Amino acid sequence: MISEPSLVVAEVFGPTVQGEGPSLGQRAGFIRTAGCNLTCSWCDTPYTWDGTRHDLRAELRRVPALDIARRALSGAPNLVVITGGEPLLHQRQPGWDALLEHLARAGVDIEIETNGTVPPSPRTAQTVTRFNVSPKLQHAGDPERRRIRPAALSALHATGKAAFKFVCRTPGDVTAVARYTAAWGVPPSAVWVMPEGTNSARITAHLTAIADAAIDAQFNLTTRLHVHVWGEERER
Ligand code: SF4
C-alpha cells in the first residue's frame, strides 16, 4: 500500500478572508503549518511552536496532504494561504510538494506567508502565486542575524513573486523598513506596512502612528482585517 505523504499542521480552515497584504479581503482557505525558527515577542500564533506556553502534542497533528488540501478547498475559494509558524521549513517533507500539487491541480492561487529566513525550493518558487515575505524588525526580539537572512531574502525576491510585509509600531519602524528595502533593491510598490496588534484598538493606534510615514515612503498600507472582525478567535 502506498501511503499519502503528510505534513504536520496546527490548523486547516476556511472559507475566511485573507486579512493582510496585497490580497486583503479576498476569500480564502488557510493552512497553518507547525513550527517556527523565530521567537517573536508579539507572535499571535505561539501555539504552532512554543512548547513552554502550549501543549504542542495537543495543538499539532500530522495529516495526509490530500486531506489538508481537501479541507482548505472545501469552501471553494480562489485562494489558499499557507502560513505558520514558518511554512517553508517543511519544504523537504514529501507532503509539501504533494500539497502544492493538489492545490495547483485545483487551479487556486497559492500564497505563502513567510518570515523570509528560508529560501524557496525551485518547485515551491514555480508553483506558488505569491510569497508574502515578512522580515522582522528589532521589536520582534530575536537578534538581527537570526531574523534578517540576506541570502533567503534575495532568493525570495528573485522569484519575482514576493511582496514584502513589515509589522510596524512607530514611524521609526517605517524608517527601518525603508533602509532595509533600499539595501535589498525592493521597490516601495512591493512593500506593505502593517500595524502590530491582536485587537482592534491596538491595531488602530499603530495604524494611526505609521500611516503618514508609510505614505511618505511610497509604501502600501495594510490592516489586519480578520482581527478587526474576529479578534483573537482561532481558525478565522
Ligand atoms: S515568524 Fe511568525 S510565526 Fe514565527 S515567531 Fe515570528 S510571528 Fe510567530
Side-chain angles (χ1 to χ4, degrees):
M1 190 178 93
I2 301 172
S3 63
E4 169 75 10
S6 58
L7 275 183
V8 182
V9 295
E11 300 168 333
V12 185
F13 59 97
T16 179
V17 291
Q18 167 59 295
E20 306 170 355
S23 306
L24 189 149
Q26 194 172 324
R27 202 163 167 279
F30 267 73
I31 297 164
R32 187 179 305 288
T33 59
C36 192
N37 56 350
L38 296 182
T39 59
C40 302
S41 56
W42 38 256
C43 179
D44 58 356
T45 53
Y47 52 89
T48 64
W49 58 267
D50 189 351
T52 67
R53 285 185 283 168
H54 298 274
D55 177 358
L56 297 185
R57 272 195 282 188
E59 294 287 357
L60 309 176
R61 62 196 193 280
R62 182 169 283 282
V63 182
L66 184 58
D67 292 355
I68 297 173
R70 280 183 177 147
R71 175 65 189 91
L73 294 164
S74 61
N78 292 321
L79 169 68
V80 170
V81 181
I82 307 177
T83 186
E86 174 45 57
L88 294 181
L89 293 173
H90 294 262
Q91 289 179 103
R92 291 186 181 162
Q93 299 273 324
W96 177 263
D97 282 349
L99 175 62
L100 291 186
E101 205 168 292
H102 292 313
L103 296 175
R105 202 175 301 137
V108 293
D109 286 343
I110 304 168
E111 287 190 356
I112 293 193
E113 302 281 336
T114 173
N115 61 27
T117 61
V118 183
S121 70
R123 180 73 173 276
T124 303
Q126 186 186 10
T127 311
V128 161
T129 311
R130 179 187 289 126
F131 295 95
N132 295 317
V133 184
S134 186
K136 303 305 182 245
L137 302 180
Q138 191 175 16
H139 56 64
D142 283 313
E144 188 177 53
R145 69 176 189 285
R146 285 191 65 194
R147 58 188 163 77
I148 303 293
R149 299 281 183 87
L153 291 165
S154 197
L156 286 157
H157 187 32
T159 64
K161 297 178 173 182
F164 287 77
K165 184 177 68 181
F166 291 86
V167 174
C168 292
R169 292 170 168 168
T170 66
D173 291 342
V174 180
T175 304
V177 172
R179 199 175 58 242
Y180 277 131
T181 52
W184 303 334
V186 174
S189 59
V191 177
W192 272 253
V193 167
M194 181 174 82
E196 185 263 317
T198 52
N199 61 60
S200 262
R202 191 173 169 93
I203 287 174
T204 303
H206 286 147
L207 199 50
T208 304
I210 65 178
D212 286 337
I215 292 164
D216 287 349
Q218 300 179 21
F219 295 151
N220 305 286
L221 196 57
T222 175
T223 186
R224 307 190 70 213
L225 185 60
H226 53 301
V227 178
H228 285 301
V229 180
W230 297 294
E232 288 192 86
E233 205 176 314
R234 299 259 296 257
E235 303 201 357
R236 295 307 301 259

